[in-house]
Amino acid sequence: MNSQEGAGVVIHGTAPSIFLRNISKAFGETIALSDVSLDLRVGEVHALLGENGAGKTTLMKILYGLTQPDTGLIEAGGVALTINSPRDARAAGIGMVTQHFSLVKNMTVVENIALASANTFSLDLASVRKEINAASAKFGLEVSPDAVISSLPVALQQRVEILKALMSGCRYLILDEPTAVLGPQDIDSLLEVIKKLRSESGIGIVLISHKMAEIEQVADRVSVLRRGKVVSNSKVSGMSSQELIGLMMGNDEVAVAQRRPTQQLFGDPILALKGISVTTESGELNEVSFDVRSGEIVGVAGVSGNGQAELVRVLSGTLALDKGSVVIEGNTLGQTTPQSLMRAGVGMLGEDRHASAVHALQVMENLVLDCIDNFATKFQLKQKEILEHCESAITQFEIKTTPKQPLGTLSGGNMQKVLLARLFSRKPKVAIISQPTRGLDVMATRYVRSLIMQASTEGTAVLLVSEDLDEVLELADRVAVMYRGAIIGIVDGSTATRETLGQLMAGIKQ
Amino acid sequence: MKPRFALRSSMPWWRGPALIAAAAFVSFLLSAIVVRWAGGAPISAFHYMFISPLQTRFGITESILSATPLIFTGAAVAIAFRAGYWNIGAEGQLLAGTIGATWVGIHAEPLPSIVGVPLILLAGMLFGALWALVPALLRTRLGIDEVVTTLLLNPVALLIISGLLNGPWRNSETGFPDSDVIAKSTQLPIIWPGTRVHLGLALGVIIIVLCWWYVGKMAGGLKLRAVGMAPGAARIAGLPVERTLLVAALVSGGIAGLGGSSEVAGVAHQLTTGISSGFGYTGVIVATLAALSFIGSLCVALLFGLITVGSFSASRALEIPSTIGEFVQSVLLLTVIAALVIQKYRVVWTRGKK
Ligand SMILES: Nc1ncnc2c1ncn2[C@@H]1O[C@H](COP(=O)(O)OP(=O)(O)OP(=O)(O)O)[C@@H](O)[C@H]1O
Ligand SMILES: [Mg+2]
């Protein structure tokens, strides 16, 4: 493990150090990248912006050796680099934290980091532990070396990934949508780490993000990808977020976000929670009671880890209740199961889209997975109807895919749209929606939010769990704030502000 | 310059089949070494193994006969594996099927064929499914790994057979530890006159076609595939994951058990401890070589039938051990799996250091 020599030396905006030249890449019919050139410099945060499916991840996977380009080359200091694997990339000083972490879940932090560096036959965990502690202190990335990965929250797992990359001695660090999986507090501390890595250790960082505010906060330069081409590359200081969005979308019309008028006449309560209590190792719910009426959007806000995840698990039927009951349209469900909820008309969009997607199945198969029987006769699937259903969903939800593509090959945003299409095409009575716009581009975010509004206008009772306060404020008719596993307050969406919600989230009752 | 492996992102269509052919060639070379070592001439050994059985009607039909149980076990393993249920117990389930079949067979004297044949088939299927039930329940109710439980039940089935044959079912005429001959009315009819090819072959092919249709074309099959590929996502989509696994396990056991009936009622006409020469285990190899496709399993089973018959004639003619057949099958498995893995990579030459 190399130590990071020259730490503290600020090399701000020196000559370009890594060149990606004329990179093209196609997957069958799909052209993911065409003739893309990019330069990365040490000591600079380079933001990569673009719609879902624009090719950001593909480009970075090429740089990190996870995919090979069809044409084009990578150069450092005038010499062509051969990057055929992540190992080559690390040897060239390039590290990457992918959207999907590559940690061994039931091993400890030390073991994971030792794995990444172990090339010898001897394994000296004690010295690795020492190096981890040193690196943690130096980069401001605290972790406890002996924690088992699966016991760590996402933010800390990410920290381990970053540490792993840094300890392999990288000068360039690629972060693919690192903030998409984090709550607001964790985002702030990650951005601090990024700034520190740049200015104190002179590391060049590629930051992929869909959030303009983050880019303005930490990035020095920004490149915009649109449909596999670089359409802009400039200093961040000279660009407004409106300009950037315009570049990303090209001629596509950008819908303007606006709060929907609160509907005055809600129907009857469709979903009612009555005194729900559960205890798990990760958190608890304490006498949670509230209801959601037909046509209403109830937002659930709170600092992450205050029971939101448990609430969603109860409503998806994967967590057994200790006490209380779930009532749907007046019918009390005992212990909930995914099937009983689905039969009662509850639809669900989980926060981890990969957990809900069968990657190896085609898009069209995934789209009908929760209602296969409606698309089959006794003896045979109605392939033609499935295909038509999929084609209309692709048009209606503007999904960039073909029906027969395996779902796993879609970009994150498009995968999310597939799952949303599946949810809403069943016309559920109740929709439980968790972090719906994580990792979605600006356009898709607005589109998804408008879909949620539309479903509620059509009478669906929506429970929206989101860590994005703006999202909650934009959509919710009422906001329930969770604190330590209980609902600490429910406020009216039209009068709620960041401040009132913030106080409740901190556990302060008015 | 040093060679290294790098992940391949895409490849031309012909590379898969070409690699399999290369793997087959490599496995011939490796087998040739062993044949040589055993004192035979490799070329003529392979001639006896792969060509000469196909030159006589007897060779062809005997190969088909040897392939018949493998068609059942191959299909049984493939359908379970497609659902993500790792059933290594086709051997035990087939043996349980032979017990059920024999039980009907030796007690069915007065019945007409039209009743006897369906009854003996049903009995095998039922016993096979029953043998698969316990591990399946342990897996779906308590989460106990089925690989271990299904595997460990295999020798148990064999011990029960041995107990029956040394006790209540001991041959009433000879006193040997093999059962009485089953009633004529329960013996499977010959479907290729003048040979030993029996109704079991037709059943096996029908099972293959049914499985292929079910898994690829029917609603239940899509559910089964989804459960096999991503049980978590299937559960979120409201699919009954446990029930799907249970059904897949029972169907798998039933098919293997039917294979047991087919052996007892179609070929042996009595139960012996040697009724199965590892058909269940070979079924795992068959399904794996076929990449869990059903039509593929049928083809591999037929190939293995050919190798089995061919290795006997090679052994007789060249005086080498007949286990050479099993050796060829195993080496083929290893090389093909290696080819399937290698196919995902390409060799790159790196310059300079390291
Ligand atoms: N292995 C693959 N096979 C087929 N198509 C692929 C594969 N990987 C990516 N693609 C396609 O390439 C395009 C670019 O995908 P990529 O993942 O790079 O997008 P992205 O810019 O990272 O999007 P997002 O913001 O949603 O993560 C998409 O249309 C995607 O469907
Ligand atoms: Mg991406």
Side-chain angles (χ1 to χ4, degrees), chain A residues 52-53 55-58 99 176-177 208 210 411-413:
Chain A
N52 294 124
K56 306 177 295 292
T57 299
T58 307
Q99 274 171 301
D176 194 354
E177 296 193 36
I208 302 182
H210 292 291
S411 78

Side-chain angles (χ1 to χ4, degrees), chain A residues 25 66-68 82 84-85 87-88 91 318 338-339 342 348 354-361 365 368-370 372-373 376 378-381 383 422, chain B residues 4-10 213 216-220 222-223 225-226 229-230 232-241 243 346 348-351 354:
Chain A
K25 173 80 187 176
L66 287 166
T67 316
Q68 264 62 50
T82 326
N84 284 314
S85 69
R87 237 177 69 192
D88 293 345
T318 53
Q339 286 104 297
M342 199 159 279
M348 158 88 199
H354 294 284
S356 321
V358 185
H359 288 174
L361 282 184
E365 291 170 329
V368 297
L369 212 53
D370 60 354
I372 297 174
D373 295 323
K378 234 183 159 55
F379 298 111
Q380 168 172 24
L381 289 165
Q383 288 290 354
R422 183 169 89 190
Chain B
R4 288 211 305 99
F5 288 115
L7 261 180
R8 176 192 295 287
S9 47
S10 61
W213 183 265
K217 310 270 175 198
M218 281 173 64
L222 179 53
K223 293 180 191 172
R225 281 184 285 143
M229 291 165 173
R235 184 168 289 124
I236 290 175
L239 300 185
V241 175
R243 210 176 67 209
R346 63 204 174 93
V348 291
W349 296 89
T350 46
R351 256 167 301 153
K354 256 209 313 178

Side-chain angles (χ1 to χ4, degrees), chain B residues 234-297:
Chain B
R235 184 168 289 124
I236 290 175
L239 300 185
V241 175
E242 272 69 36
R243 210 176 67 209
T244 307
L245 286 176
L246 188 68
V247 170
L250 295 185
V251 168
S252 172
I255 294 175
L258 192 58
S261 285
S262 152
E263 282 308 286
V264 169
V267 196
H269 298 159
Q270 63 170 176
L271 185 60
T272 63
T273 47
I275 188 86
S276 163
S277 46
F279 298 137
Y281 298 113
T282 312
V284 178
I285 303 181
V286 169
T288 309
L289 273 180
L292 305 188
S293 100
F294 293 101
I295 308 296
S297 295

